[in-house]
Amino acid sequence: MKVIVISGSVGTGKTTLAKKLAKKLNYKYLDVNKIIKEHKLAESYDKKRKCYVVDVKKLNKVIIDIIKSLEGRQGTVSGIIIDSHLSHYLPKRYVDLCIITKCSLKTLEKRLRKRGYNKAKIRENLDCEIFDVCLNEAKELKHKVLVVDTTRGIEINKLLLISSIK
């Protein structure tokens, strides 16, 4: 069974890509935000950043358990797409491919404004994109990385052609 994680800065198109890819490949789609809620993994709420704080080690343990349980269902699940800006933290041995989504800063700023983010949160997310935080962390963890630019949208068929995803 193949496991593909899709990570990247907030607003770069992870969920759009993950859902399209899961549908096209007939893979199971895992929304990490739902997993965090279902398993009560949010340890606190950061009022300044307006987001939950999650212990990545605990999250990884739950995701690995899900992967293992799905691997046990021979023939029913051929692959999993894991959608989250935290998904690249999964250990390499559980991940076949790590896709990092990126987009232009102008596009990203527009997307974050449309979501109603305040200036500080927009700045923080733009900084993450500028400094390639998710990409650099994925490389440090030795993942096989594919970078996808979503500035002009996502063409799944083109992505499948240029990658080793099947």
Side-chain angles (χ1 to χ4, degrees):
M1 179 179 68
K2 261 201 172 173
V3 176
I4 300 172
V5 298
I6 300 183
S7 189
S9 302
V10 173
T12 56
K14 292 179 298 300
T15 300
T16 302
L17 175 61
K19 287 181 176 179
K20 284 184 176 186
L21 197 55
K23 186 176 181 182
K24 182 76 176 178
L25 297 172
N26 199 26
Y27 280 15
K28 181 162 182 58
Y29 169 80
L30 288 183
D31 179 348
V32 173
N33 288 328
K34 281 186 180 177
I35 292 169
I36 290 168
K37 286 177 190 163
E38 286 171 12
H39 294 270
K40 296 176 176 50
L41 297 171
E43 297 193 333
S44 62
Y45 186 77
D46 184 332
K47 289 179 184 176
K48 182 183 173 198
R49 289 190 168 94
K50 295 183 181 178
C51 66
Y52 289 98
V53 177
V54 176
D55 180 327
V56 176
K57 285 182 181 178
K58 288 180 184 175
L59 174 62
N60 281 348
K61 185 182 179 324
V62 170
I63 293 173
I64 289 165
D65 287 346
I66 292 168
I67 291 169
K68 286 178 179 176
S69 75
L70 291 171
E71 282 176 336
R73 295 190 210 166
Q74 292 300 85
T76 58
V77 179
S78 57
I80 307 170
I81 304 282
I82 302 172
D83 170 19
S84 172
H85 71 283
L86 302 172
S87 64
H88 65 273
Y89 288 118
L90 267 175
K92 179 186 179 228
R93 69 180 174 273
Y94 296 101
V95 179
D96 294 293
L97 179 65
C98 177
I99 299 175
I100 301 292
T101 54
K102 294 190 60 55
C103 69
S104 75
L105 296 177
K106 188 176 180 180
T107 300
L108 181 57
E109 186 174 8
K110 253 188 243 179
R111 290 176 185 175
L112 298 176
R113 263 204 220 118
K114 193 175 176 181
R115 290 183 181 190
Y117 287 10
N118 64 40
K119 283 183 181 182
K121 191 162 180 145
I122 291 171
R123 178 78 259 157
E124 182 178 22
N125 285 295
L126 287 172
D127 287 346
C128 282
E129 187 68 0
I130 290 165
F131 294 110
D132 281 328
V133 172
C134 293
L135 177 59
N136 289 326
E137 289 175 345
K139 285 179 176 179
E140 284 173 18
L141 292 167
K142 307 281 190 252
H143 284 295
K144 176 182 176 190
V145 175
L146 173 66
V147 177
V148 175
D149 189 323
T150 65
T151 303
R152 291 184 177 85
I154 298 164
E155 295 178 43
I156 291 296
N157 290 332
K158 187 177 174 184
L159 174 64
L160 292 172
L161 276 174
I162 63 168
S163 71
S164 60
I165 304 170
K166 286 182 178 95

